[in-house]
Amino acid sequence: GEKIDRGSTVLIKPNLVRTPSTSGWASREGAYSLTLTPDGDITHRVSIEALLNILVEHGIRPENITVGECPGGSEAEVVYGALGLHELCEGFGVNLLDLNNAPAEKITVPNGVLLREVWLPKAALEADFRINLATLKVHHLAVVSLCLKNWGIGLPPGKYYGMDKGSGCFKKGLLGPLPIHDASLAPMGVEERVFQEGQEAAASRVIVDVCSARGYDLGIIEGLTVVDYDGIQSGSKRTYRLRRNNLMMASLDMAAVDAVGARVLGFDPQKILHIRWAGEAGLGVTDLDRIDIIGERIEDVEMRSNPRANQVHTMLPPI
């Protein structure tokens, strides 16, 4: 396309927030949290491999490609080891970086609501083309965790914001954690623990702020599997289910890919704060009527999903 050519430097950021629970690496030091299901709530290795194949086949030089992640619930080397990413990247001749600890730079957040400036990895700031390879799943604070959240919460490095990045409960960073749970910084004067429309408003604002500071060029939602709750969930205990769908979604529009992904999960994207606010911030199109969908029809591939009890209003009515 117009944004990428043979000489481009490319960053691939998957979603590798946790260590696979079934891996021998699950008991390693640095595996602070484990995947919620045997697979599915982190990016599959096969998807990273397929994307590398496509880039190389289209003439992108391997030495110009970097795979990098800033896991919040695992040391990068642990989850990389569990998925065999060192071997995969060495086989292709591409770079593999721990973006939690790689060089970073502080940049200004234009029109930031909760963040006026943010530290981000230089590999993301300097790449000619940034690919966000997210998963298809629900989330207790944000309804869904797709491309916007994978970038907005997942990209700020743990070196500065700790791990997990909303609390620093696993490891402290050089700065305080991201203001995800900070009621004193809640937008629109909301008191309490920033819950608005069943979602943590501060987390949603941080997502939009980071994506506004430096976004991605191509958003891909890997829907090989779908992770949601095993029924409408309430209380602190959550149980999950895994379904297989063999679906992939992609867009050059940061917000449109999430709007479609949310709809595939059975939610109204306009009722999901960070998706709606991303559209209002000019990050992309969130109105499904204005999005051209090429390929399968949403109605034929949708996987209606269960949210938290306080988020049921975001669900679309039964057909």
Side-chain angles (χ1 to χ4, degrees):
E2 296 179 359
K3 293 188 175 183
I4 188 169
D5 58 37
R6 292 174 184 268
S8 296
T9 56
V10 179
L11 172 71
I12 301 170
K13 186 213 176 291
N15 184 328
L16 304 176
V17 63
R18 305 177 182 91
T19 300
S21 59
T22 56
S23 165
W25 292 75
S27 59
R28 297 287 185 98
E29 183 179 356
Y32 306 122
S33 64
L34 305 181
T35 51
L36 307 173
T37 54
D39 72 320
D41 71 302
I42 63 173
T43 306
H44 292 86
R45 182 185 191 274
V46 66
S47 297
I48 300 172
E49 182 175 5
L51 184 52
L52 290 174
N53 269 316
I54 291 170
L55 291 171
V56 171
E57 287 171 2
H58 281 75
I60 307 300
R61 292 196 290 269
E63 63 270 22
N64 286 347
I65 301 173
T66 296
V67 177
E69 169 64 312
C70 306
S74 175
E75 296 291 345
E77 291 304 308
V78 175
V79 67
Y80 290 173
L83 295 179
L85 292 191
H86 285 288
E87 296 83 354
L88 177 67
C89 291
E90 287 172 8
F92 275 93
V94 306
N95 309 295
L96 180 64
L97 281 184
D98 170 5
L99 296 184
N100 271 328
N101 297 296
E105 182 178 328
K106 184 168 64 175
I107 65 171
T108 299
V109 179
N111 302 313
V113 175
L114 292 187
L115 298 175
R116 302 303 181 192
E117 52 191 20
V118 63
W119 285 88
L120 294 177
K122 284 189 175 183
L125 298 175
E126 296 174 356
D128 297 320
F129 195 81
R130 291 167 288 275
I131 301 175
N132 182 352
L133 180 58
T135 53
L136 189 61
K137 59 188 179 184
V138 301
H139 192 270
H140 65 293
L141 297 180
V143 185
V144 296
S145 178
L146 307 172
C147 283
L148 289 165
K149 183 177 177 297
N150 182 46
W151 197 263
I153 302 295
L155 190 63
K159 175 181 178 181
Y160 294 94
Y161 301 106
M163 298 168 65
D164 120 348
K165 298 172 207 175
S167 65
C169 59
F170 302 130
K171 182 190 287 188
K172 301 300 181 185
L174 296 175
L175 307 174
L178 289 169
I180 294 171
H181 311 312
D182 191 340
S184 68
L185 297 176
M188 294 174 288
V190 177
E191 302 296 335
E192 315 176 332
R193 195 180 168 223
V194 254
F195 273 93
Q196 191 175 316
E197 300 182 38
Q199 299 152 71
E200 198 173 78
S204 298
R205 283 295 182 188
V206 167
I207 291 169
V208 176
D209 282 352
V210 173
C211 291
S212 297
R214 185 58 54 92
Y216 41 95
D217 298 290
L218 173 64
I220 302 173
I221 299 174
E222 181 214 88
L224 302 182
T225 52
V226 179
V227 175
D228 73 329
Y229 301 115
D230 186 15
I232 303 297
Q233 298 284 294
S234 60
S236 59
K237 184 177 180 181
R238 296 185 287 272
T239 56
Y240 300 87
R241 68 171 170 171
L242 173 73
R243 292 172 291 169
R244 302 191 182 279
N245 203 29
N246 293 325
L247 178 69
M248 302 291 279
M249 291 166 271
S251 178
L252 295 171
D253 182 305
M254 280 199 290
V257 67
D258 271 25
V260 172
R263 173 61 184 85
V264 167
L265 290 175
F267 300 111
D268 180 349
Q270 298 303 324
K271 294 181 179 179
I272 298 175
L273 293 182
H274 69 275
I275 297 178
R276 186 172 80 225
W277 288 344
E280 292 171 356
L283 299 184
V285 178
T286 59
D287 181 353
L288 292 170
D289 292 335
R290 297 174 52 215
I291 298 172
D292 293 327
I293 298 175
I294 302 170
E296 302 292 335
R297 297 190 317 145
I298 289 178
E299 294 79 3
D300 295 334
V301 298
E302 68 178 357
M303 299 284 282
R304 296 256 167 164
S305 300
N306 295 315
R308 299 280 287 158
N310 61 351
Q311 298 168 349
V312 293
H313 69 282
T314 65
M315 300 172 69
L316 291 163
I319 295 174

